[in-house]
Amino acid sequence: MEKELKPIKQGPAVHGKSQLQLLMLKVVLALSPALIWAFYVFGWAAFIALMLTCVSGFVFEWVALRLRSRGRTRQAYDGSGLLSCILLAMSLPPMGPWWLYVLGSFVSIVITKQLFGGLGQNVFNPAMSARVFLLLSCPAYMTAWLDPDKKAGLVDTLRYMFIDWHRESYDALTTATTLDAWRNAKLTGLPLPQPELTDMFVGSTAGSMGEVSAMLLLLGGMYLLFSGIIRWHLPAGFLAGVMLPATLFWLLGPEGTHLSPLVYLVAGSTMMGAFFIVTDPVTAPVTPHARFVFAFLIGALSYLIPAYGLYPVGLSFAVLLMNSTVPLLERLFRPRIFGR
Amino acid sequence: MMFGLAKKFDGGLKLPPNKHGAEAPSRILPIPESLTYYLTKNIKETHQCIVNIGETVLFGQSIARGLGHQPDIHAAYGGVIEAIGSKAGPYDAPEEQAVIIRTSEYKNVYKHDDKIKNKSDLLKSMGVAGMGGAAFPTGEKVQAAGAPRVWLINGVECEPMLSCDQCLMREQADKLVQAIRYLAAEIMPGRVILALESDKADAVSAMRLALGDVTDIELACLPPRYPQGGEKQLIQTLLGLEVPSGTHAAHLGILVLNVATVMAAFDALAYHLPLTHRLVTVAGQGVSAPGNVWVPIGAALKDVLDFCGYDGAATLRVTVGGPMMGRAVNSLDVAVTKGTSAILALTAADELAVYSAQPCIRCGVCTEVCPARLQPEDMYFNIRAGRLNRTRETGLMDCIACGACAYVCPSEIPLVASFLYAQQICRIEDEQKARAAYIGDLVKARDARLAARRSVRMGKSASREAAARTVDPAAMEKVDAAREKARSKIDK
Amino acid sequence: MEMISALIVMGALCLSGGLALAWAARKFAGNENALVVQIEELLPQTQCAQCGYPGCKPYAEAIVAGEADINQCQPGGERVVKALGQLLGADYRPPAKVAEKPMVAFIREAECIGCTLCIKACPVDCIIGAPKQMHTVITADCTGCTLCIPPCPVNCIDMEMLPPRWQPERP
Amino acid sequence: MKEVLLILLSATLVNNFVLTRFLGVCPFMGVSQRLETAVGMAMAVTYVLTLTSAATWMLNAYILVPLSAEHLRLMAFIVLIAVVVQMTEILVRHFMPALHRAMGLFLPLITTNCAVLGVTLLNVGEQLGFMAATVQGFGASLGFGLVLIVFAGLRDRLDGCDVPEAFKGTPIALITAGIMAMAFLGFDGMGR
């Protein structure tokens, strides 16, 4: 045999079609309609924010891998870092200061992912842990939602994001999201806001960059589901987890203190959570039963935290909390081995 | 009579059949110059050679006695024993001890005497082993199954590219039915089921024709799905029964024999013909004339591949056995063994697996295709972390190495290679534990021996003392007093 | 007045606590031997005394008593240290002495004078022979513990390397 | 009934003793190496904490207050906790020797565990009723146990991960605990 044969002697000699890079790019493709819509709704702010996150994310990942060893930098090109950065950018407010995005991508790529051993070994969802980190460390900038009607041109956006990003000149542009309004109403006893459902579904109200248009996120999600990249257990579990307590509290709870479950169904963050955040395979359990329970509890927590707690959006907290229980869930729901 | 599908087996996946040359009629390999028979497997001795160098042997003469239940080895052609030395082997270890015969003729056949009555010993002496790939000694299996409740004849060839069972059934359907009936008379099974996959149309029609409207042999046409041909999976599909882990189906009274093994067993029991030749599929893009070839066991891969138009330049990997469960070989002078069902010359065009071992993203697709309902990604994680006892708890020993997980893994991780490596390490560890237990028994035996000797000696001295006390009691008091003083000094 | 009440309270508390503990300690004395048996099963039973204790059972008792460390078993090597760590919750330490290649004792029969000293020394009784008769070692049972070499007056026992066992390589 | 449930919820999740009030962090880090010892420790702490909460409340209400010896509270509590912990250790050594050896130093360490003393002093400080104090103690130990077992599961997986050399072992465990503490902040403000 003149040529040196493949070193692996055992195991199948042939392989199916699925590739890691292909998988990641398909998920990015599923995200792209909602992304393009965000560019349309928020104008340049969204585009610059996305570029900032992705480029700084790639650089951080490349450097982190290079520090580990020369051979590993190849892993920086497998699209998983890009996906986490896009998800992070979509869950941040559009017109935030530039360091918000760079710090976010540092926390998500370097601390939450590479420090734990790189792709496949991180225990917490990188995008969500960065979002929680930013929400806790700089709440002011994280809750400044750009009003879609007042989006600015390229030059103004750049000025806002890079030069005078401090608070004062910034308030003019912001407005409250539906969930914000509901929380304020609950605290101050004002009548509940009755949001325009179709408006929210199509996505022209304010909110984090990617979580605006529930319809396009649903579209991307359906594509992922039917092309077999994700399994139904995680999205179904999450949606059940959100809708069950929502309808329960809406029916049983005292009149006028809880939003109708429909609002949650059309809210962008629910669709984003169901199809893109919860379904991150690395930080979710592997067995179907464990996946359903995992997603259900995330849904329930992400409903309870804004309902009874301080923070308007509970998804990121819920995801981190449940990520830490994944090893236990897997040990609990281990399927019966053949013949045992 | 069609057999209702009891239960589909877990996991499994649909593979592109790409059976090149399956329809081509079988050909016979001309006599190769030399034949090689292996006496060891992974340097552990399995056969004892009973011929010496320079001796001439006849066609069909047995040249090595199998140790334990291993079946004997017979010369496929008459010739001279050229050498007994180490040669490249198809197993994990690079070199194996082997007997090499320089072939000369095949006219006069060695006559085996008919003294052996017991059928499993006869099968052992005629060298019949499982030909589906695992080469499990058939004699031992038949003996363990006794009068089996169910006898499954496994014609399911679920691996892509393999077509030797299909060709055998297509061309020798009548002889197969005759063989089944003869063996059924011998082992008295409760039910006889012949299973094959419905996408092998020619084999199905040939068998239907041969069986006609017979009632005692049931024909089961199963939808094609990999790895349905596995013993445990076939039993789960046809009988809806899960063979408990760690036990062979034979112990449950279910005998599963490959179609080719049934033919070999028939020749051995009815005509006392040893197993010397077998039908081997030669396929892959690296071979210009793929198909099925009657090959003498012991022929080198080089001869068989050249016979089918082997193109060495394009071939990247030569595999012995199927594309999923087969094993790659480094050199072509490895010989065909009883378990070799195929020789594949694979080129880049055959979707060759490149194990780039990218990080595992826990997508769980391998968990869905695993027929043993294991967690391949969890086991791989523990093997990489070096925690082999954790892997064993999660079912490492139940892995049948079917390769379905490695086939679908998007990160192209060498899953099966890791599992087989871990299994071998665990077997070595088990051996060490067994040895420790054995030595523990030796130590206990030694203590018992010393204790017995001491009690005997004490007994003797006690009787001598008693006798002395009766003769002269006064002296004995002085002795007791002295003993007391000595003992008190020690206690202080 | 403050002082006295404080003394009374603390005194009563400590006294009652002490009495309760003394009673409980006597009633529920810890049984150690269950653990000794568990440890002993893990040890390779070569009785080679490389761990400084005359055999595996004394070494197990020493571990339970806390005198011995879990990595002193030389033939056991990595496997035993990990197993003991798992059982006792102690974290992993590399083995103190690394076991060389497995060895087997071999008597040069010509020089053996049949003094049976090595038979008495062998912990596993794998040397056969009678007084004044030639002795030999059952290689299958020999654990290579080299305890038979010192007592031999004519020094006719030497250690032989076993052929290395084939090791699968990591993919 | 609702009020008891509220105390239980707030002690277990909202201001969890390990991740929000950062009490009892050293056994949290020390015992979470293996899941079995973590479960054993969680049970031991639950047993000790509930018992000591009840006992210290009674000690305070019926002995210290009438004798106006509140200033002795700290010493008396510590002695009581030590007695209960020593009793637990004897029982564990008798009934579960392997677990006792596995937990090793950390069983007697519960005496000096700041969570235990913290809860008892908190109960007395907030003038809680007997029932509320015991539930607070039970809730605190439930929270401690829950987080400890979850964290042990995490560390069990982490020690198989390919973590950079400098971060292997405790550093990565501290980072994980940090992220979990961040997540627990989500419960802030609940139960009001």
Side-chain angles (χ1 to χ4, degrees):
Chain A
M1 292 299 292
E2 318 74 26
K3 283 176 297 309
E4 198 275 321
L5 289 173
K6 283 288 159 279
I8 297 288
K9 285 188 76 170
Q10 290 145 318
V14 289
H15 187 267
K17 289 283 176 300
S18 73
Q19 295 285 349
L20 186 63
Q21 256 153 342
L22 208 63
L23 221 61
M24 293 295 167
L25 294 185
K26 274 187 186 161
V27 179
V28 171
L29 190 70
L31 271 171
S32 49
L35 256 181
I36 296 158
W37 176 260
F39 295 160
Y40 166 72
V41 167
F42 294 112
W44 283 105
F47 183 73
I48 297 169
L50 184 71
M51 279 310 121
L52 264 173
T53 319
C54 289
V55 168
S56 59
F58 179 78
V59 166
F60 285 135
E61 180 151 44
W62 197 87
V63 169
L65 287 170
R66 178 66 186 76
L67 287 177
R68 284 295 295 279
S69 78
R70 186 179 296 278
R72 286 178 186 247
T73 48
R74 164 171 61 79
Q75 281 177 17
Y77 303 99
D78 63 12
S80 65
L82 177 70
L83 182 59
S84 320
C85 290
I86 293 175
L87 285 176
L88 173 63
M90 291 173 85
S91 58
L92 295 180
M95 186 82 98
W98 65 273
W99 47 263
L100 191 74
Y101 304 102
V102 174
L103 185 60
S105 67
F106 177 79
V107 169
S108 101
I109 295 292
V110 176
I111 293 182
T112 317
K113 185 175 156 195
Q114 289 304 336
L115 222 53
F116 281 77
L119 175 64
Q121 322 213 2
N122 52 326
V123 177
F124 296 101
N125 186 318
M128 284 303 114
S129 92
R131 189 174 190 286
V132 166
F133 178 83
L134 293 175
L135 189 61
L136 294 177
S137 43
C138 43
Y141 297 103
M142 280 294 282
T143 51
W145 313 105
L146 177 64
D147 185 342
D149 318 334
K150 301 201 190 72
K151 57 177 179 290
L154 176 63
V155 174
D156 297 347
T157 320
L158 284 176
R159 189 163 53 73
Y160 273 124
M161 290 179 85
F162 284 90
I163 301 154
D164 54 358
W165 38 263
H166 39 71
R167 290 287 292 134
E168 298 74 22
S169 71
Y170 196 64
D171 277 348
L173 304 174
T174 57
T175 168
T177 65
T178 352
L179 291 179
D180 274 351
W182 173 56
R183 190 167 57 79
N184 301 344
K186 184 157 63 70
L187 294 179
T188 56
L190 289 170
L192 277 181
Q194 290 310 340
E196 218 350 82
L197 290 190
T198 49
D199 208 357
M200 283 184 73
F201 190 67
V202 166
S204 57
T205 61
S208 318
M209 208 156 60
E211 294 167 6
V212 177
S213 153
M215 183 181 63
L216 291 173
L217 286 168
L218 188 61
L219 194 72
M222 283 304 133
Y223 163 69
L224 284 184
L225 207 55
F226 293 119
S227 69
I229 295 174
I230 53 173
R231 295 289 175 272
W232 61 272
H233 305 95
L234 283 168
F238 179 79
L239 292 178
V242 173
M243 298 322 289
L244 202 64
T247 33
L248 226 62
F249 281 98
W250 187 60
L251 295 173
L252 305 176
E255 202 38 49
T257 57
H258 291 283
L259 283 171
S260 85
L262 284 181
V263 168
Y264 285 94
L265 204 57
V266 298
S269 68
T270 317
M271 283 307 145
M272 167 72 119
F275 291 106
F276 295 100
I277 306 283
V278 167
T279 56
D280 167 26
V282 172
T283 52
V286 176
T287 45
H289 310 284
R291 277 180 172 168
F292 191 85
V293 168
F294 170 79
F296 185 85
L297 288 177
I298 290 185
L301 278 174
S302 73
Y303 171 81
L304 289 172
I305 288 178
Y308 289 97
L310 218 55
Y311 297 96
V313 178
L315 177 68
S316 37
F317 289 109
V319 168
L320 284 189
L321 282 169
M322 287 314 293
N323 280 154
S324 58
T325 63
V326 162
L328 281 190
L329 281 179
E330 274 193 344
R331 210 181 265 256
L332 227 62
F333 290 99
R334 196 174 286 281
R336 186 174 61 83
I337 296 174
F338 183 97
R340 288 247 181 113
Chain B
M1 184 264 292
M2 282 300 293
F3 190 85
L5 217 47
K7 173 179 177 306
K8 197 174 78 56
F9 68 95
D10 297 278
L13 67 160
K14 284 217 173 346
L15 292 180
N18 50 38
K19 311 240 175 193
H20 333 285
E23 281 69 31
S26 59
R27 292 161 281 170
I28 298 175
L29 188 76
I31 306 179
E33 303 90 40
S34 78
L35 295 168
T36 315
Y37 296 101
Y38 296 109
L39 300 173
T40 61
K41 184 175 192 224
N42 289 346
I43 322 184
K44 202 143 63 89
E45 215 189 7
T46 52
H47 290 84
Q48 205 160 23
C49 183
I50 52 175
V51 287
N52 29 46
I53 301 176
E55 194 182 329
T56 60
V57 285
L58 303 179
F59 166 53
Q61 182 175 345
S62 62
I63 55 171
R65 193 73 61 223
L67 301 175
H69 286 289
Q70 284 293 339
D72 303 350
I73 298 181
H74 303 79
Y77 289 108
V80 172
I81 306 291
E82 191 184 11
I84 301 174
S86 73
K87 204 141 188 308
Y91 306 115
D92 305 330
E95 296 277 321
E96 302 286 358
Q97 284 299 326
V99 179
I100 298 138
I101 304 173
R102 166 106 9 241
T103 52
S104 56
E105 43 73 33
Y106 60 91
K107 289 287 176 301
N108 29 33
V109 177
Y110 179 82
K111 197 79 194 73
H112 282 271
D113 49 23
D114 319 313
K115 280 199 303 305
I116 305 165
K117 277 291 155 272
N118 174 321
K119 49 184 186 308
S120 74
D121 295 346
L122 187 56
L123 285 172
K124 171 182 172 353
S125 72
M126 285 299 125
V128 178
M131 301 175 64
F136 193 83
T138 313
E140 184 188 355
K141 215 181 218 184
V142 166
Q143 192 182 7
R149 291 179 307 171
V150 181
W151 176 24
L152 297 182
I153 298 147
N154 188 349
V156 172
E157 221 168 13
C158 48
E159 271 196 82
M161 295 189 191
L162 287 191
S163 55
C164 55
D165 289 351
Q166 178 185 349
C167 171
L168 191 69
M169 281 192 278
R170 181 180 66 239
E171 289 179 354
Q172 302 186 354
D174 306 334
K175 189 184 173 201
L176 181 58
V177 171
Q178 194 192 355
I180 295 173
R181 192 143 292 128
Y182 177 88
L183 283 174
E186 285 282 329
I187 55 176
M188 312 297 279
R191 282 162 61 188
V192 183
I193 308 172
L194 170 64
L196 57 150
E197 283 189 339
S198 51
D199 69 341
K200 281 102 180 163
D202 52 1
V204 173
S205 56
M207 284 317 296
R208 278 235 171 77
L209 197 64
L211 282 173
D213 51 9
V214 120
T215 54
D216 58 351
I217 300 174
E218 298 157 34
L219 182 72
C221 269
L222 304 170
R225 190 169 177 77
Y226 180 80
Q228 188 154 232
E231 203 171 274
K232 296 191 175 183
Q233 278 58 44
L234 195 58
I235 292 174
Q236 184 178 15
T237 311
L238 288 178
L239 309 174
L241 175 76
E242 274 185 26
V243 177
S245 105
T247 58
H248 282 293
H251 300 309
L252 302 176
I254 303 168
L255 182 64
V256 182
L257 288 183
N258 179 285
V259 180
T261 321
V262 169
M263 301 288 263
F266 173 58
D267 290 345
L269 294 181
Y271 309 107
H272 287 290
L273 279 177
L275 171 60
T276 51
H277 288 70
R278 71 156 292 152
L279 195 58
V280 173
T281 308
V282 185
Q285 305 293 346
V287 177
S288 59
N292 293 295
V293 183
W294 283 99
V295 170
I297 291 168
L301 296 190
K302 190 156 196 26
D303 310 338
V304 183
L305 283 170
D306 292 344
F307 176 69
C308 301
Y310 170 64
D311 153 20
T315 307
L316 294 179
R317 172 189 300 185
V318 171
T319 303
V320 168
M324 294 298 280
M325 294 185 78
R327 186 191 301 278
V329 284
N330 287 343
S331 78
L332 280 190
D333 54 17
V334 164
V336 169
T337 62
K338 289 174 182 165
T340 316
S341 50
I343 303 168
L344 308 174
L346 298 169
T347 65
D350 290 314
E351 328 157 8
L352 206 53
V354 176
Y355 287 103
S356 55
Q358 290 163 352
C360 154
I361 57 167
R362 292 164 50 88
C363 59
V365 177
C366 55
T367 319
E368 283 151 22
V369 295
C370 176
R373 289 203 299 269
L374 300 174
Q375 306 280 320
E377 99 294 327
D378 181 53
M379 291 203 298
Y380 175 70
F381 177 81
N382 281 324
I383 292 174
R384 244 167 72 97
R387 302 188 290 205
L388 289 188
N389 49 14
R390 180 75 57 82
T391 327
R392 275 183 96 151
E393 280 152 26
T394 47
L396 172 70
M397 286 311 179
D398 293 299
C399 165
I400 56 173
C402 66
C405 52
Y407 182 85
V408 294
C409 174
S411 310
E412 292 167 343
I413 297 171
L415 287 167
V416 178
S418 323
F419 297 153
L420 292 179
Y421 160 74
Q423 277 181 354
Q424 269 148 8
I425 297 281
C426 291
R427 275 190 208 103
I428 291 172
E429 242 169 56
D430 285 353
E431 266 165 41
Q432 279 169 353
K433 268 207 195 78
R435 183 158 167 77
Y438 169 70
I439 289 173
D441 303 342
L442 286 183
V443 172
K444 289 192 185 60
R446 178 172 182 271
D447 295 345
R449 179 175 66 80
L450 292 179
R453 228 159 64 117
R454 207 173 303 116
S455 63
V456 163
R457 196 178 294 137
M458 293 289 282
K460 266 212 220 83
S461 68
S463 59
R464 242 183 282 115
E465 205 176 299
R469 203 175 290 281
T470 52
V471 165
D472 177 357
M476 284 316 287
E477 268 91 21
K478 275 204 225 60
V479 167
D480 290 345
R483 249 193 219 140
E484 278 315 313
K485 199 141 58 50
R487 201 168 285 128
S488 61
K489 212 180 273 111
I490 297 163
D491 291 348
K492 256 207 290 312
Chain C
M1 188 38 195
E2 278 315 313
M3 276 291 295
I4 302 150
S5 68
L7 280 178
I8 296 163
V9 163
M10 289 311 292
L13 201 62
C14 300
L15 201 63
S16 58
L19 286 179
L21 289 180
W23 169 78
R26 197 166 311 104
K27 187 165 183 322
F28 301 109
N31 56 358
E32 291 305 339
N33 52 24
L35 207 54
V36 170
V37 171
Q38 272 175 335
I39 294 178
E40 213 189 332
E41 268 147 25
L42 295 175
L43 298 176
Q45 301 298 336
T46 51
Q47 315 302 337
C48 56
Q50 301 280 352
C51 54
Y53 294 89
C56 292
K57 192 163 179 54
Y59 177 50
E61 274 144 7
I63 292 178
V64 171
E67 293 143 17
D69 198 348
I70 60 170
N71 64 350
Q72 288 175 290
C73 179
Q74 184 227 14
E78 289 267 326
R79 184 176 63 80
V80 166
V81 176
K82 279 211 179 95
L84 286 177
Q86 183 80 11
L87 177 68
L88 304 175
D91 42 25
Y92 172 74
R93 281 183 285 283
K97 279 185 273 183
V98 180
E100 312 90 1
K101 293 276 170 300
M103 291 192 293
V104 172
F106 183 77
I107 296 177
R108 294 192 295 279
E109 272 100 4
E111 301 163 31
C112 168
I113 57 169
C115 67
T116 75
L117 281 177
C118 58
I119 295 178
K120 295 189 184 65
C122 176
V124 283
D125 257 354
C126 72
I127 302 178
I128 328 169
K132 301 249 175 337
Q133 304 300 331
M134 184 171 62
H135 296 353
T136 178
V137 175
I138 312 169
T139 40
D141 292 355
C142 173
T143 64
C145 64
T146 71
L147 283 174
C148 53
I149 293 182
C152 177
V154 290
N155 211 341
C156 68
I157 306 175
D158 47 29
M159 302 304 286
E160 290 235 332
M161 304 295 281
L162 279 172
R165 215 194 122 63
W166 175 75
Q167 283 292 350
E169 85 280 344
R170 205 179 160 74
Chain D
M1 182 46 204
K2 186 175 182 317
E3 188 245 324
V4 167
L5 200 63
L6 215 57
I7 293 181
L8 193 68
L9 186 72
S10 81
T12 312
L13 292 178
V14 179
N15 23 46
N16 181 298
F17 265 74
V18 180
L19 289 178
T20 327
R21 293 197 181 163
F22 301 111
L23 288 172
V25 177
C26 60
F28 177 72
M29 274 303 176
V31 176
S32 51
Q33 231 89 11
R34 288 171 48 251
L35 200 58
E36 296 76 23
T37 42
V39 170
M41 183 64 166
M43 282 192 290
V45 166
T46 310
Y47 170 75
V48 164
L49 210 51
T50 323
L51 211 61
T52 43
S53 314
T56 44
W57 191 88
M58 280 193 282
L59 178 75
N60 183 39
Y62 302 121
I63 296 169
L64 293 186
V65 168
L67 290 169
S68 67
E70 279 84 0
H71 52 278
L72 286 180
R73 180 180 301 152
L74 196 60
M75 285 201 294
F77 282 4
I78 278 295
V79 167
L80 191 70
I81 293 170
V83 165
V84 170
V85 167
Q86 200 53 35
M87 183 73 77
T88 330
E89 180 177 8
I90 293 170
L91 293 179
V92 168
R93 187 154 56 85
H94 178 69
F95 291 109
M96 296 176 273
L99 183 63
H100 172 263
R101 178 153 299 278
M103 281 213 279
L105 181 64
F106 288 104
L107 194 56
L109 199 64
I110 302 179
T111 342
T112 60
N113 177 343
C114 22
V116 176
L117 189 60
V119 171
T120 46
L121 289 177
L122 213 64
N123 291 349
V124 174
E126 286 167 4
Q127 270 84 30
L128 292 176
F130 173 73
M131 192 52 193
T134 324
V135 164
Q136 167 100 353
F138 180 66
S141 59
L142 213 61
F144 178 85
L146 173 76
V147 173
L148 182 66
I149 293 171
V150 163
F151 191 59
L154 270 179
R155 279 189 81 166
D156 179 58
R157 178 168 160 195
L158 274 180
D159 93 54
C161 284
D162 168 20
V163 178
E165 268 320 302
F167 288 91
K168 268 204 167 25
T170 320
I172 198 69
L174 284 171
I175 294 174
T176 321
I179 299 179
M180 272 173 78
M182 254 194 335
F184 260 82
L185 271 179
F187 290 119
D188 202 358
M190 271 194 182
R192 226 198 307 288

